[in-house]
Amino acid sequence: MDARWNRHKRLAQDIPNGSYVNLGIGIPELVASHVPEGRTFIYHTENGLLGMGPSPAAGESDPELINAGKRRVTMMPGAAFFDQATSFAMIRGGHLDLSVLGALQVAANGDLANWSTGADDAIPAVGGAMDLVAGVKRVFVMTTHVTKEGEPKLVQHCTYPLTGRGVVTRIYSDLAVIDVTERGFALVELAPGIAFDFVQERTCAPIITNHARK
Amino acid sequence: MDARWNRHKRLAQDIPNGSYVNLGIGIPELVASHVPEGRTFIYHTENGLLGMGPSPAAGESDPELINAGKRRVTMMPGAAFFDQATSFAMIRGGHLDLSVLGALQVAANGDLANWSTGADDAIPAVGGAMDLVAGVKRVFVMTTHVTKEGEPKLVQHCTYPLTGRGVVTRIYSDLAVIDVTERGFALVELAPGIAFDFVQERTCAPIITNHARK
Amino acid sequence: MIDKRVGSTREAVADIFDGATVMIGGFGEAGSPIELIHALIDQGAKGLTVVSNNTGTGLVGLAALLRAERVSKVICSFPKTAGSTVFPDLYRAGKIELELVPQGTLAERIRAGGAGIVAFYTPTAVGTPLAEGKESRVFGNREHVLEYGIRADFTLIKGCKADTHGNVLYHRTARNFAPMMATAATVTIVQAADVVEAGALDPEAIVTPGIFVDRVVHVASPALESALNEAGASYP
Amino acid sequence: MIDKRVGSTREAVADIFDGATVMIGGFGEAGSPIELIHALIDQGAKGLTVVSNNTGTGLVGLAALLRAERVSKVICSFPKTAGSTVFPDLYRAGKIELELVPQGTLAERIRAGGAGIVAFYTPTAVGTPLAEGKESRVFGNREHVLEYGIRADFTLIKGCKADTHGNVLYHRTARNFAPMMATAATVTIVQAADVVEAGALDPEAIVTPGIFVDRVVHVASPALESALNEAGASYP
């Protein structure tokens, strides 16, 4: 696999200049480090800030300037603070252009499971994930193609509890970029050095390769 | 009739210190000139200001600092501006202590008609009246007891289109103060020099006189 | 680099199409975006549905748009302000449709439209003619009426200050419907007397965050309805 | 003369009763009114239903209230922040009830409760376990779920600045749920690091107007969960 290709960089290329973007906690946050030259994205964090900036310099952090992952952040020129009702009005009302989320499972029909394994002893916790998938114009999933145990995450039907039905637009895995279409998963691009069959073998649903994209 | 008694002054006496009050356009606004010594009322105007003050001094008016009647006003220390959704959240959510409104008709069951005569050529216009009666904790009506033509305004059933059902708490007319109770109209107080029969004759529903009030 | 400024009110309203739904801020003259409305008159779009609390006074601004017969329907709470003759004449002549909505329900329907809330139950207007024909339901012994969110194709509003990202501040009671309307249209257009660079406004004090705004146009000395009417103005 | 100040956190929470529903502001530690929560622990009310986005970390603040077994139910979107052990332990032991609500639905339900909107339809959570058992309805080919407004007996929130009329400003992302919670309780109690006379705050910049606030208590140097936890603190 070509070390120069990474899915964060690849995803960032698909975000138009001036987009309002919500990056999920964890891996999706790394997209912010790969903004293409000449583009500006405005980051929304659902706990009440538009115009979120990177982590603060040492000694300059504010415990009440945090992101949805409760990590300390900064703000950019043009930032605005607002309450939770307004923040989720942005989300639910379709004002955000893009949400990038992690996944436990994505189904061929766009169903997403990313909040609970449904295990008996799990503490259920959902945060803003269900609001994001219900409201944001496009939902990108950023995930490893399989779990640590080698189980495929791209499946025919999700077995974990859903976050939303038919909500995922596109998946950026370590192996490929895959669209969710009316005909199911459709290959957009393979990571350099990755063969299609290698991806298909690690995916529990057919991936079509002849999908015409706009 | 005793010139020293007036219904605005009488009504103002029934408002506890610190109350949040919305005064309807026109006659009800005069209540603000009769605040009893030692009390402070905070006036809400539904177009987006809490802490409304009196009319501005000459030359100091701001065409964008107006009340619901679109007249120029001032603001008091501690005032706050807000949008219409917030303003009506205050109203509908039961945060205002008192609304004082004018009336075309008030029925013995508390129904209020004050926005339309229902005439064929009338331009229907309702503003915030229906929201106020639906949401504010107490609704006082300030009105002449009869119309200019001598028609009673306190009636058994409203014939004009309703503003709200069973919403009026108390009526302050030029002749009497009358409560709306489960048993219908109930006399609280006669204006000085006014006989009960004089009031009853000008009222199209019985007024009880033995209602125990808290 | 994000810059939502456009060069003129003309450019700002150029794509408003025949039959569009247009929300227009303002309560009386406070917050009425007169220059944007006049640009819309010049632009010529017709068959519009206008969502606005009032219907304008005299022969300028919103009243002038109605008088030019560009508006087929208004959704409004109070269409008969003192000094309003254009709307009453059109209404009595059967030339314009009116959907009368209580002011708080109007505000909440616009907010809902912008917030992705498709419908809500409110106690306002129950038992009145404005609830007739509407679905109602009893919650906790009290009747409520089902009201629907409203969305528009365009919103025209007036701020006192805006930045290049579209963050907006308003002047006193000119705020009124603008913050909700900004959220509820496909394209939100703001005229502002002062337009500054991103970063010049206090992030804690911003009323309308830029995500809700598409175009900002600088109108340095906005006219007021009352001043125009006193001068006997009419538009065009 | 209006003055909503009370002399101490103890006095501020004195009338919170057993079985009360209490909304508590904060997203993580940002906006958590730790001193009011600690005063509530001292006060002793039990059988509380707490509405809050999280469940606290370490052994202070909200986590300490839970650990003292004063809370029988939490209504919450995310009860398992890193560093949160008290809630998970109580939950697994069956000692506390959880009503899990998506964060945006939680915010909107609180707002609705405060705004007199009894219920609303939202697309959030449709098709998920959190919509199970809820009424749903299709509007425009899309399924929506009916959600109800929430009200509380008391709200505890943290402002950075408040005035004697109860107007409140917040610090950055400490704002989060506080403005809605302030509207949705019978009694709203604010702790603020700075308390000023009415008139000292800019009327254009006020976030929570005083009508929503009943008591203001001055807490000059509010503690932060992270600092207390780093110091190994526990309460009481």
Side-chain angles (χ1 to χ4, degrees):
Chain A
M1 198 180 325
D2 188 331
R4 284 168 303 177
W5 194 87
N6 84 45
R7 59 190 197 273
H8 304 98
K9 190 171 174 183
R10 180 62 188 78
L11 188 155
Q13 287 168 358
D14 287 344
I15 311 178
N17 184 43
S19 290
Y20 289 93
V21 179
N22 184 297
L23 299 178
I25 299 168
I27 301 297
E29 292 181 58
L30 298 176
V31 170
S33 306
H34 295 89
V35 180
E37 187 74 24
R39 294 189 210 172
T40 304
F41 306 153
I42 298 185
Y43 298 109
H44 172 269
T45 181
E46 62 265 33
N47 55 314
L49 169 60
L50 193 68
M52 178 174 64
S55 298
E60 289 178 10
S61 74
D62 177 344
E64 294 191 322
L65 177 50
I66 61 175
N67 69 7
K70 298 175 182 89
R71 290 198 307 118
R72 298 183 191 183
V73 295
T74 54
M75 54 185 169
M76 303 297 287
F81 294 104
F82 35 80
D83 65 36
Q84 290 293 279
T86 303
S87 188
F88 284 88
M90 293 176 187
I91 291 171
R92 203 190 304 102
H95 302 282
L96 286 167
D97 297 300
L98 178 65
S99 171
V100 183
L101 292 170
L104 294 168
Q105 291 176 327
V106 184
N109 63 357
D111 287 359
L112 174 67
N114 79 341
W115 68 284
S116 170
T117 59
D120 281 348
D121 67 338
I123 303 298
V126 65
M130 289 183 184
D131 306 283
L132 284 161
V133 301
V136 176
K137 287 175 196 155
R138 291 193 302 168
V139 175
F140 287 175
V141 160
M142 163 141 311
T143 181
T144 54
H145 210 87
V146 298
T147 66
K148 283 177 198 161
E149 294 74 28
E151 290 295 317
K153 290 181 153 198
L154 280 63
V155 296
Q156 194 65 50
H157 300 290
C158 294
T159 54
Y160 292 140
L162 291 189
T163 308
R165 281 198 308 225
V167 296
V168 175
T169 309
R170 181 173 275 195
I171 302 153
Y172 297 78
S173 84
D174 49 334
L175 303 183
V177 179
I178 292 173
D179 269 349
V180 174
T181 74
E182 290 181 3
R183 296 163 63 204
F185 292 131
L187 184 69
V188 175
E189 183 177 321
L190 292 167
I194 300 293
F196 175 76
D197 288 353
F198 187 84
V199 178
Q200 181 64 80
E201 282 164 16
R202 283 154 184 78
T203 305
C204 283
I207 304 173
I208 61 172
T209 55
N210 60 346
H211 186 65
R213 289 187 312 278
K214 284 180 269 197
Chain B
M1 198 182 323
D2 188 331
R4 285 168 304 177
W5 193 87
N6 83 44
R7 59 190 195 277
H8 305 97
K9 190 170 172 181
R10 180 62 187 77
L11 188 155
Q13 288 167 358
D14 288 344
I15 311 178
N17 185 43
S19 290
Y20 289 94
V21 179
N22 184 297
L23 299 177
I25 299 167
I27 301 296
E29 292 181 57
L30 298 175
V31 169
S33 306
H34 295 88
V35 179
E37 188 74 25
R39 293 189 210 172
T40 304
F41 307 153
I42 298 185
Y43 298 109
H44 172 269
T45 181
E46 62 266 33
N47 54 313
L49 169 61
L50 194 69
M52 178 174 65
S55 297
E60 289 179 7
S61 74
D62 177 344
E64 294 192 322
L65 177 50
I66 62 177
N67 69 7
K70 296 169 183 94
R71 291 198 305 119
R72 298 183 191 183
V73 296
T74 53
M75 54 185 169
M76 304 296 287
F81 294 103
F82 35 80
D83 65 37
Q84 290 293 280
T86 304
S87 188
F88 283 88
M90 293 176 187
I91 291 171
R92 203 190 305 101
H95 302 281
L96 286 166
D97 297 300
L98 178 65
S99 170
V100 184
L101 292 169
L104 294 167
Q105 293 176 326
V106 183
N109 62 358
D111 287 358
L112 173 66
N114 80 343
W115 69 284
S116 169
T117 59
D120 281 346
D121 67 338
I123 304 297
V126 66
M130 289 182 183
D131 306 283
L132 284 161
V133 301
V136 177
K137 286 176 196 154
R138 290 192 302 168
V139 175
F140 286 176
V141 160
M142 161 141 312
T143 180
T144 55
H145 209 88
V146 299
T147 67
K148 281 176 197 160
E149 294 74 27
E151 290 296 317
K153 289 181 153 197
L154 280 63
V155 296
Q156 193 64 51
H157 299 289
C158 294
T159 55
Y160 292 142
L162 291 189
T163 308
R165 280 196 312 223
V167 295
V168 175
T169 309
R170 180 172 275 196
I171 302 153
Y172 297 78
S173 85
D174 48 333
L175 303 183
V177 179
I178 291 173
D179 268 349
V180 174
T181 73
E182 289 181 4
R183 296 163 61 203
F185 293 130
L187 185 70
V188 176
E189 183 177 321
L190 293 165
I194 300 294
F196 175 76
D197 289 352
F198 186 83
V199 178
Q200 180 64 79
E201 283 163 16
R202 283 157 184 76
T203 305
C204 283
I207 304 173
I208 62 173
T209 54
N210 60 346
H211 185 67
R213 288 188 312 278
K214 283 180 271 197
Chain C
M1 177 66 179
I2 289 164
D3 189 346
K4 297 185 179 177
R5 287 179 292 188
V6 294
S8 65
T9 54
R10 184 179 162 206
E11 193 182 330
V13 303
D15 55 350
I16 299 184
F17 49 85
D18 291 354
T21 295
V22 183
M23 292 185 176
I24 302 181
F27 178 91
E29 70 174 327
S32 183
I34 291 188
E35 286 73 13
L36 284 173
I37 298 170
H38 287 176
L40 177 56
I41 294 173
D42 296 346
Q43 190 258 22
K46 55 188 190 299
L48 303 173
T49 293
V50 165
V51 183
S52 194
N53 191 62
N54 303 106
T55 54
T57 60
L59 304 173
V60 297
L62 186 49
L65 181 69
L66 298 178
R67 186 174 177 231
E69 302 199 2
R70 305 293 172 71
V71 180
S72 56
K73 178 178 178 182
V74 295
I75 301 176
C76 175
S77 95
F78 205 84
K80 63 169 185 189
T81 316
S84 167
T85 57
V86 172
F87 177 82
D89 290 348
L90 289 168
Y91 183 75
R92 291 198 181 97
K95 288 184 171 174
I96 196 162
E97 186 185 345
L98 170 66
E99 180 179 342
L100 191 71
V101 182
Q103 191 172 335
T105 298
L106 183 62
E108 191 69 11
R109 288 181 61 191
I110 297 168
R111 182 196 174 274
I117 299 298
V118 68
F120 58 89
Y121 286 99
T122 174
T124 297
V126 166
T128 80
L130 298 193
E132 277 169 22
K134 290 184 178 167
E135 203 176 318
S136 80
R137 178 163 164 179
V138 173
F139 295 90
N141 294 324
R142 189 169 187 199
E143 192 177 340
H144 293 74
V145 61
L146 184 65
E147 294 281 0
Y148 291 80
I150 312 180
R151 287 190 56 84
D153 300 300
F154 297 88
T155 276
L156 309 181
I157 53 176
K158 178 189 182 183
C160 67
K161 204 175 261 203
D163 72 15
T164 50
H165 282 198
N167 293 301
V168 187
L169 302 179
Y170 304 94
H171 178 67
R172 297 180 167 176
T173 54
R175 188 183 305 194
N176 59 70
F177 285 88
M180 285 86 65
M181 288 180 172
T183 71
T186 307
V187 178
T188 291
I189 307 167
V190 179
Q191 66 168 71
D194 197 6
V195 180
V196 298
E197 294 296 323
L201 303 179
D202 177 2
E204 300 276 18
I206 285 166
V207 178
T208 290
I211 192 172
F212 296 127
V213 171
D214 299 281
R215 298 171 196 161
V216 174
V217 57
H218 184 217
V219 175
S221 300
L224 284 158
E225 239 176 64
S226 58
L228 293 175
N229 287 335
E230 277 164 32
S234 67
Y235 199 88
Chain D
M1 179 66 180
I2 289 163
D3 190 346
K4 297 184 178 175
R5 287 178 292 189
V6 294
S8 65
T9 53
R10 183 180 162 206
E11 192 181 329
V13 304
D15 55 351
I16 299 183
F17 48 85
D18 290 354
T21 295
V22 183
M23 292 184 177
I24 301 181
F27 178 91
E29 71 173 327
S32 183
I34 291 187
E35 285 74 13
L36 285 173
I37 298 169
H38 287 175
L40 177 56
I41 293 173
D42 294 346
Q43 191 257 21
K46 55 187 189 300
L48 304 174
T49 293
V50 165
V51 182
S52 194
N53 191 64
N54 304 106
T55 53
T57 59
L59 303 173
V60 297
L62 186 48
L65 182 68
L66 298 179
R67 186 176 177 227
E69 302 199 2
R70 305 292 172 72
V71 180
S72 56
K73 178 180 178 181
V74 295
I75 301 176
C76 174
S77 94
F78 205 84
K80 61 168 185 190
T81 315
S84 168
T85 56
V86 173
F87 177 83
D89 290 347
L90 288 168
Y91 183 75
R92 290 200 182 96
K95 289 185 170 175
I96 197 162
E97 186 185 346
L98 169 66
E99 180 179 341
L100 190 70
V101 182
Q103 193 173 333
T105 298
L106 182 62
E108 191 69 12
R109 288 181 63 191
I110 298 168
R111 182 196 174 272
I117 301 297
V118 67
F120 58 89
Y121 286 100
T122 175
T124 298
V126 165
T128 79
L130 297 194
E132 276 168 23
K134 291 185 178 168
E135 202 177 319
S136 79
R137 177 163 165 181
V138 173
F139 295 91
N141 295 325
R142 190 170 186 197
E143 193 176 341
H144 293 74
V145 62
L146 184 65
E147 293 281 359
Y148 290 80
I150 312 181
R151 287 190 57 81
D153 300 300
F154 296 89
T155 276
L156 309 182
I157 53 177
K158 176 189 184 184
C160 66
K161 204 175 261 203
D163 72 15
T164 50
H165 282 198
N167 293 301
V168 187
L169 303 180
Y170 304 93
H171 178 67
R172 298 182 166 175
T173 54
R175 188 183 304 194
N176 58 71
F177 284 88
M180 286 86 66
M181 289 180 171
T183 72
T186 307
V187 177
T188 291
I189 307 167
V190 179
Q191 67 168 71
D194 195 7
V195 180
V196 298
E197 293 296 322
L201 302 179
D202 177 3
E204 300 276 19
I206 285 166
V207 178
T208 290
I211 192 171
F212 297 126
V213 172
D214 298 280
R215 298 173 196 161
V216 174
V217 58
H218 184 216
V219 175
S221 301
L224 285 157
E225 239 176 64
S226 57
L228 293 177
N229 287 335
E230 277 163 32
S234 67
Y235 198 88

